[in-house]
């Protein structure tokens, strides 16, 4: 691949969910000083960039994705001075900081919405106001969290659009003043010295004129209209030109319902973003509905990720989880007997593909899903909304019927507190944690992982070093071997004179594969099992074994 080199292509990104990372003041909620206290740990992983989930002033209906003031810090997280200290401390450690940019919608407590609902100050058209009521909403679009995408506002006497929670009102980007205000706030943060943005649901910003009804058979009704809408590309290009293109900033846009062709328009050399987060590999275990059983085949996961490796015209982001997704050992491998091998296996995948890898807090110690047993334990608006919607529709009688699915899928799996040690509350807080700590914290925690040379954590550090030392893992060309194999994922990466072979056993049984002679194995670069295997065109892989060979 003849890829132009850039710092953000070679970077490893570590994602911090501030609410659940580290609580310095005992109120049960993570905070900025708590993050500062753990920066040496983050740096020790070899992370180059930290992506911080929203820390702006917010009523926290959706844990900060409902912003009340873009230029202020949420008081439970600290002050602007704390944030400035954090930025300086990150930079002191030669890392960079990217912020979450949530501009598809604001909180209904935002000043713009307050004035808009009262038709004051020229703000009326900042949001989508239409005639309608609960029985007759303006169209049939659904919220991503279940239920109608329209809510009634008494003060305005109309309904407004919310593609997420009803406290998250969608901004109307066709209104020029909205775009100007958004560009102003982006530049304000860039001027403060940040290094880029992760852009929340950024491909939803353009809604088609007339807001036409969506296909009622879709799980998210209306998505074909509001994902990659008619002017999305134009507005993104304008935003880039007016803001971050004038800085040495990295951008990654979360894009719902995007395929490789549309993504290429966004991230090709002259496109408006550096990378996108697509969802195609996150769909492999999704049935037609959020509440369909979570079953999947390795060949499907391989097919999707391989396709993005070879077909995207532009730079890939690499992620297997984040704050909206379950824990990966539970989802894609084994979180029980082979938890450690599984954590390493999936890490090997993440760090040996071409693109920029994103590690979500706790992934590096192999954290697992939580055994949820009732709606009252959950905080995630999506899990609660989807279950309540099904109960209301008479599809299920109660939580127990879908317990397995919620356990497999809930966003709260990722949001339980970070597990630092085996003390009470896993060392996350001295107070009452806002969300339950996973009961496995006595075994699965950072302190235990630091003390164990065979831990997932130490293996992650090895992988980061390996990636730093071999450009083939960053910029290499990918070739899938054995595409239909349901247990083993094997591929070659090649760059200039260097070639490597990666072989990953995704099953709990020993599996032997015969590789194309052209892929005959060479020197072992890294593996999650200690003992060496005999090399040859026949390769026997133990349960969840990962092997990376140099072919030079
Ligand atoms: C994105 C965020 C998610 C949030 C939603 C609405 O998908 O990652 O956490 O709930 O947007 O802002």
């Amino acid at each position: 691949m003849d890829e132009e080199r850039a710092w953000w292509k070679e970077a490893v990104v570590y994602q911090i969910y501030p609410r659940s990372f580290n609580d310095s003041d005992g109120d049960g909620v993570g905070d900025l000083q708590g993050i500062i206290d753990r920066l040496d740990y983050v740096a020790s992983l070899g992370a180059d960039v930290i992506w911080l989930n929203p820390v702006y002033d917010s009523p926290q209906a959706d844990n900060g994705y409902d912003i009340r003031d873009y230029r202020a810090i949420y008081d439970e997280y600290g002050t602007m001075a704390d944030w400035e200290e954090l930025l300086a401390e990150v930079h002191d450690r030669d890392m960079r900081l990217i912020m979450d940019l949530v501009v598809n919608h604001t909180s209904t407590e935002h000043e713009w919405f307050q004035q808009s609902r009262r038709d004051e100050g020229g703000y009326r058209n900042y949001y989508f106001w239409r005639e309608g009521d609960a029985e007759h909403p303006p169209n049939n679009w659904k919220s991503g969290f279940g239920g109608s995408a329209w809510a009634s506002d008494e003060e305005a006497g109309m309904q407004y659009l919310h593609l997420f929670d009803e406290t998250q009102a969608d901004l109307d980007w066709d209104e020029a003043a909205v775009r100007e205000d958004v560009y102003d706030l982006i530049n304000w943060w860039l001027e403060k010295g940040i290094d880029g943005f992760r852009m929340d649901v950024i491909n939803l910003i353009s809604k088609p004129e007339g807001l036409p009804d969506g296909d009622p058979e879709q799980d998210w009704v209306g998505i074909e209209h509001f994902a990659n809408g008619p002017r999305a590309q134009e507005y993104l290009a304008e935003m880039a030109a007016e803001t971050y293109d004038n800085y040495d900033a990295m951008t990654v846009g979360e894009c719902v319902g995007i395929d490789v062709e549309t993504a290429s328009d966004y991230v090709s050399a002259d496109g408006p973003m550096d990378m996108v987060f697509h969802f195609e590999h996150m769909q492999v275990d999704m049935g037609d509905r959020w509440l369909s059983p979570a079953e999947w085949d390795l060949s499907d996961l391989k097919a999707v990720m391989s396709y993005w490796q070879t077909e995207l015209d532009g730079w890939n982001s690499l992620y297997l989880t984040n704050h909206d997704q379950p824990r990966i050992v539970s989802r894609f491998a084994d979180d029980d007997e082979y938890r450690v091998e599984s954590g390493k296996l999936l890490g090997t995948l993440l760090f040996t593909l071409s693109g920029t890898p994103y590690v979500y807090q706790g992934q590096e110690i192999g954290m697992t899903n939580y055994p949820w047993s009732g709606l009252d334990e959950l905080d995630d608006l999506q899990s609660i909304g989807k279950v309540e919607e099904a109960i209301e529709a008479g599809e299920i009688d109660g939580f127990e019927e879908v317990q397995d699915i919620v356990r497999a899928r809930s966003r709260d799996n990722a949001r339980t507190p970070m597990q630092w040690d085996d003390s009470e509350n896993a060392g996350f807080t001295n107070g009452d944690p806002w969300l339950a700590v996973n009961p496995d914290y006595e075994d699965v925690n950072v302190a235990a992982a630091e003390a164990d040379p065979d831990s997932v954590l130490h293996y992650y550090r090895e992988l980061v070093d390996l990636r730093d030392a071999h450009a083939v893992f960053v910029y290499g060309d990918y070739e899938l071997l054995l595409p239909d194999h349901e247990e083993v994922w094997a591929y070659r990466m090649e760059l200039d004179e260097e070639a490597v072979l990666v072989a990953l056993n995704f099953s709990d049984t020993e599996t032997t594969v015969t590789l194309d002679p052209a892929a005959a194995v060479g020197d072992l670069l890294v593996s999650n099992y200690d003992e060496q295997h005999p090399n040859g065109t026949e390769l026997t892989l133990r349960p969840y074994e990962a092997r990376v060979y140099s072919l030079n």
Side-chain angles (χ1 to χ4, degrees), residues 392-438:
E392 267 161 42
E395 290 162 5
I396 57 170
D397 289 329
F399 178 84
E400 299 67 41
E401 271 175 62
V402 288
Q403 170 166 300
D404 289 349
I405 295 166
V406 175
R407 283 185 177 183
R409 192 155 279 156
S410 178
R411 307 194 300 175
D412 278 341
N413 287 309
R415 300 175 182 184
T416 62
M418 179 70 183
Q419 293 161 205
W420 294 104
D421 56 41
D422 63 2
S423 68
E424 210 185 339
N425 298 322
F428 163 71
T429 180
N430 297 325
D432 269 341
W434 71 277
L435 191 67
V437 173
N438 193 304

Side-chain angles (χ1 to χ4, degrees), residues 59-289:
Q60 301 286 313
D62 190 21
N63 296 352
Y65 283 95
D66 48 323
I67 296 173
R68 179 165 47 204
D69 182 348
Y70 288 100
R71 291 177 174 81
I73 299 295
Y74 173 52
D75 56 4
E76 286 191 21
Y77 291 167
T79 61
M80 191 56 84
D82 292 320
W83 182 87
E84 282 161 2
E85 187 183 332
L86 172 66
L87 178 67
E89 294 282 343
V90 169
H91 284 167
D92 275 355
R93 288 168 178 78
D94 286 330
M95 296 188 288
R96 306 193 203 220
L97 184 70
I98 67 171
M99 297 282 279
D100 223 300
L101 181 72
V102 190
V103 289
N104 173 67
H105 45 267
T106 71
S107 166
T108 49
E109 290 187 23
H110 193 288
E111 186 57 30
W112 298 339
F113 189 86
Q114 293 298 318
Q115 299 206 42
S116 182
R117 61 147 57 119
R118 294 194 291 267
D119 195 8
E120 284 171 9
Y123 286 97
R124 175 49 50 98
N125 296 333
Y126 268 47
Y127 299 86
F128 294 92
W129 293 104
R130 299 289 186 274
E131 299 298 334
D133 56 46
E135 264 77 70
H136 308 97
N139 69 18
N140 69 349
W141 294 3
K142 285 270 189 69
S143 150
F145 296 156
S148 171
W150 294 92
S152 303
D153 184 67
E154 252 178 53
E155 234 170 303
M158 284 186 281
Q159 292 204 305
Y160 63 90
L161 179 69
H162 60 90
L163 292 183
F164 295 92
D165 185 48
E166 65 174 66
T167 65
Q168 295 166 297
D170 279 60
L171 286 164
D172 186 348
W173 276 61
D174 291 337
E175 180 79 359
V178 166
R179 304 202 302 280
E180 270 166 43
D181 276 345
V182 167
Y183 306 157
D184 274 357
L185 75 90
I186 296 176
N187 284 324
W188 191 84
W189 281 100
L190 288 165
E191 280 304 307
K192 286 186 84 68
I194 64 164
D195 304 294
F197 290 102
R198 175 269 186 188
M199 307 190 285
D200 191 59
V201 292
I202 201 67
N203 67 327
L204 303 187
I205 55 175
S206 168
K207 281 85 177 174
E209 243 172 80
L211 308 178
D213 272 345
D215 170 4
E217 296 304 314
Q218 293 270 5
D219 188 38
W220 196 356
V221 178
I223 188 164
E224 71 276 27
H225 294 302
F226 53 70
N228 313 304
R231 303 182 74 176
Q233 174 83 359
E234 175 192 336
Y235 292 155
L236 288 169
E238 182 183 87
M239 174 165 74
E242 297 285 329
T243 63
Y244 50 76
D245 270 3
N246 306 315
Y247 295 78
D248 181 22
M250 75 170 252
T251 51
V252 51
E254 186 201 26
C255 291
V256 183
I258 199 167
D259 58 20
V260 103
E261 287 76 30
T262 312
S264 297
D265 294 340
Y266 293 162
V267 301
S268 59
D270 52 0
M273 300 185 256
D274 293 330
M275 291 168 260
V276 300
F277 287 137
H278 72 85
F279 283 82
E280 291 199 325
H281 61 314
M282 296 286 105
Q283 300 291 337
V284 294
D285 60 352
M286 295 281 286
D288 300 339
R289 310 263 319 263

Side-chain angles (χ1 to χ4, degrees), residues 283-300:
Q283 300 291 337
V284 294
D285 60 352
M286 295 281 286
D288 300 339
R289 310 263 319 263
W290 194 88
L291 281 173
S292 310
E295 286 154 6
W296 65 286
D297 291 324
L298 181 66
S299 56
D300 290 339

Side-chain angles (χ1 to χ4, degrees), residues 296-303 483 485-489 504 506:
W296 65 286
D297 291 324
L298 181 66
S299 56
D300 290 339
L301 186 64
K302 287 199 262 191
H485 205 288
E486 290 298 354
E487 280 85 39
V488 174
W489 187 344
L504 310 167
F506 274 76

